[in-house]
Amino acid sequence: MPVLSRDFYARPTLDVARALIGKVLVHETAAGSAAGVIVETEAYIGESDPACHAAPGPTARNAPLYGPPGIAYVYLNYGIHYLVNAVTESEGSPAAVLIRALEPLEGEALMRRRRARGTGRASREFTRAELCRGPGNLTRARGITLRDNRTDLTGRGLRIEDRRLPARDVAWTPRIGIAVGVESEWRCVAVGSDAVSGRVSRRER
């Protein structure tokens, strides 16, 4: 399947956030391969965006944001969840798209085992829609950790593919799960997907 090129990511972040809806995130590990259709994204753009990790300026943690487009920026959120982002725009312009939710496509049994681990729940108790609903849940289901930080998304192990799936209608809403920058309608969701986290109540475009 065609892997998205670096040029795909080297564009305005909002354009990339929209274009990623319907693309397929693939992660190949020693435990197996898992893939899912991206149905929810959020854009974080530059040092002027108070919710972006680049707001304080360059640091060791946010260095991938300032690097080349098409690189994975993975970080630990609140000491609990790993979150995965695709770096966008030109090198030196810190911006990224957070991948917030997926619809499982391949490797569902593996994702169920990963989600159930340490929860006290049986793998069968997770509905298909909730396996990768929310950015922390999807990284757990996919086995994405800090080891994947700075991975080239145009490579093989962790990558995003264009499988020419049917186009999805989308809606734009304010970003969720943050305390600042909530006025920006920079969250893009696939309308009608039950894997989307949070409510969808704003305008479509």
Side-chain angles (χ1 to χ4, degrees):
M1 297 295 177
V3 178
L4 298 181
S5 70
R6 202 163 314 284
D7 286 344
F8 175 92
Y9 301 98
R11 297 184 291 160
T13 305
L14 292 175
D15 291 347
V16 179
R18 169 62 182 89
L20 281 173
I21 300 297
K23 301 301 188 291
V24 178
L25 178 68
V26 182
H27 191 210
E28 295 183 356
T29 67
S33 178
V37 181
I38 299 171
V39 293
E40 182 180 1
T41 60
E42 278 182 343
Y44 291 86
I45 309 172
E47 295 175 356
S48 61
D49 176 2
C52 182
H53 282 187
T59 67
R61 183 196 193 199
N62 68 25
L65 290 175
Y66 290 83
I71 299 298
Y73 173 43
V74 182
Y75 60 88
L76 185 62
N77 192 47
Y78 298 121
I80 303 173
H81 303 296
Y82 298 109
L83 304 189
V84 60
N85 303 256
V87 175
T88 57
E89 307 202 13
S90 60
E91 188 165 358
S93 299
V97 173
L98 171 66
I99 301 174
R100 287 194 54 91
L102 308 170
E103 293 175 350
L105 192 62
E106 298 164 1
E108 185 174 329
L110 175 59
M111 288 189 274
R112 287 183 178 279
R113 291 195 298 273
R114 285 170 169 160
R115 280 297 312 275
R117 192 174 299 143
T119 66
R121 296 176 64 182
S123 61
R124 65 179 180 277
E125 295 178 15
F126 291 91
T127 68
R128 189 169 185 272
E130 73 178 310
L131 281 176
C132 300
R133 180 190 289 146
N137 290 332
L138 80 84
T139 55
R140 185 179 296 110
R142 311 308 297 284
I144 296 172
T145 69
L146 288 179
R147 293 190 300 271
D148 299 295
N149 189 34
R150 298 176 185 262
T151 297
D152 187 349
L153 294 172
T154 70
R156 295 302 305 164
L158 179 63
R159 63 188 185 274
I160 303 178
E161 298 177 347
D162 184 358
R163 298 193 180 182
R164 307 295 182 183
L165 299 176
R168 310 287 287 263
D169 291 332
V170 303
W172 290 89
T173 83
R175 296 176 293 188
I176 60 177
I178 55 176
V180 294
V182 294
E183 68 283 351
S184 298
E185 291 192 350
W186 288 356
R187 171 174 170 256
C188 189
V189 302
V191 175
S193 174
D194 57 3
V196 167
S197 61
R199 299 175 58 189
V200 180
S201 59
R202 295 301 178 101
R203 60 193 176 92
E204 298 180 24
R205 70 180 184 192

